[in-house]
């Protein structure tokens, strides 16, 4: 793969990405673990610090913003306290948001309890909606589309993207590249997207486990053809990333120097890919940059983002 210079800060600053999907609030409780509970064989954590971060699609939007591109988050939250905190964090980080409110919806919260720099427990607060939560924002989506250069769907399987097929069609008709972080075993709803980015386990749910590189390539190419995708990008942890497109198959090795926490790494990869496509790069040129971004963010704790300098350094850029 030939070396592709990084886009300049100015070029990236002009790129605009519309992020659509399931947003959530990530909470962290940090504490000391000094003893085992006399009630059960579990550690007792004495909480001394709390932290809140953007999660899900909100973290994806933050990653786009942190790289220096413009981003808009389109999502629906509840009318509860976590929704208010989510709004405040988005405003604090300068992420433009089109947030719908639904009183019947509980804003998703993931609470992680941390002791001795390790995650001891994760508690999820969520409820599956009994109705289509993004239907009310279809008009907002259509109005926002022309002002953006790429659309990114962050599907966490929480029920917020039942209209994704229609949204993909609208974006492609408008000539926008569409990126999807998929969920579940039925990828037909993502048909027509530019690229989808499943991880190894997610892809195996759809095409079955593979026993050789040739078998993976054959099944991946068949899936790409069935869905009408330009590219299928598979993140493969320590094996790096594989891109299957019309030109064949290209693989880049893992870029992580030190893996501390893989939480949210997929968010960073697809956010970087979207920012690069919005800035005018092709999939193959954006691939090694997205791979490098994933390698940086797994060296951080929890859901995290990275800056332009962390990704590219401070040398001269074109």
């Amino acid at each position: 793969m030939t070396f592709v210079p990084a886009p300049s800060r100015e070029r990236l600053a002009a790129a605009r990405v519309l992020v659509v999907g399931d947003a959530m609030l990530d909470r962290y409780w940090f504490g000391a673990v000094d003893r085992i509970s006399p009630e059960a064989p579990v550690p007792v954590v004495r909480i001394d610090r709390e932290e809140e971060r953007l999660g899900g699609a909100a973290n994806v939007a933050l990653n786009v913003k942190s790289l220096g591109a413009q981003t808009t988050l389109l999502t629906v939250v509840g009318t509860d306290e976590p929704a208010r905190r989510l709004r405040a964090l988005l405003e604090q980080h300068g992420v433009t948001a089109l947030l719908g409110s639904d009183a019947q919806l509980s804003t998703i919260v993931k609470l992680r309890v941390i002791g001795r720099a390790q995650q001891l427990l994760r508690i999820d607060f969520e409820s599956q909606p009994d109705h289509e939560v993004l239907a009310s924002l279809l008009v907002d989506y259509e109005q926002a589309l022309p002002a953006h250069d790429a659309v990114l769907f962050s599907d966490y399987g929480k029920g917020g993207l039942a209209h994704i097929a229609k949204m993909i069609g609208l974006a492609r008709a408008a000539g926008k590249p569409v990126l999807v972080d998929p969920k579940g075993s039925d990828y037909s709803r993502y048909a027509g997207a530019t690229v989808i980015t499943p991880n190894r386990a997610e892809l195996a749910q759809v095409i079955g486990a593979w026993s050789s590189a040739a078998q993976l390539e054959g099944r991946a190419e068949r899936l790409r053809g069935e869905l009408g995708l330009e590219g299928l990008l598979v993140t493969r942890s320590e094996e790096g990333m594989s891109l299957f497109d019309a030109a064949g198959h290209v693989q880049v090795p893992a870029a992580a120097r030190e893996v501390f926490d893989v939480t949210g790494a997929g968010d960073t990869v697809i956010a970087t890919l979207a920012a690069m496509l919005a800035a005018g790069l092709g999939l193959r040129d954006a691939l090694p940059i997205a791979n490098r971004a994933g390698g940086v963010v797994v060296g951080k704790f929890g859901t995290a983002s990275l800056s332009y300098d962390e990704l590219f350094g401070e040398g001269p850029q074109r």
Side-chain angles (χ1 to χ4, degrees), residues 12-67:
L12 200 52
R16 303 158 300 177
V17 179
L18 177 60
V19 178
V20 186
D22 302 307
M24 55 194 73
L25 180 66
D26 283 358
R27 283 182 164 146
Y28 294 85
W29 288 0
F30 298 89
V33 180
D34 300 320
R35 61 193 180 95
I36 300 298
S37 171
E39 303 167 357
V42 295
V44 175
V45 185
R46 190 176 69 255
I47 302 299
D48 53 34
R49 181 165 63 91
E50 300 179 20
E51 190 175 318
E52 293 178 330
R53 299 184 187 180
L54 296 170
N59 180 52
V60 176
L62 176 60
N63 268 269
V64 176
K65 170 76 174 176
S66 297
L67 285 172

Side-chain angles (χ1 to χ4, degrees), residues 1-6 250-252 281-289 292 318:
M1 183 174 292
T2 57
F3 173 74
V4 178
V250 61
Q251 184 165 353
V252 291
L281 273 67
L283 268 177
R284 289 206 168 200
D285 290 339
L287 174 64
I289 299 174
R292 190 185 318 148
R318 66 178 171 92

Side-chain angles (χ1 to χ4, degrees), residues 87-102:
R87 289 176 186 274
L89 284 172
L90 287 165
E91 185 175 342
Q92 175 186 323
H93 289 291
V95 176
T96 301
L98 297 172
L99 297 187
S101 295
D102 189 330

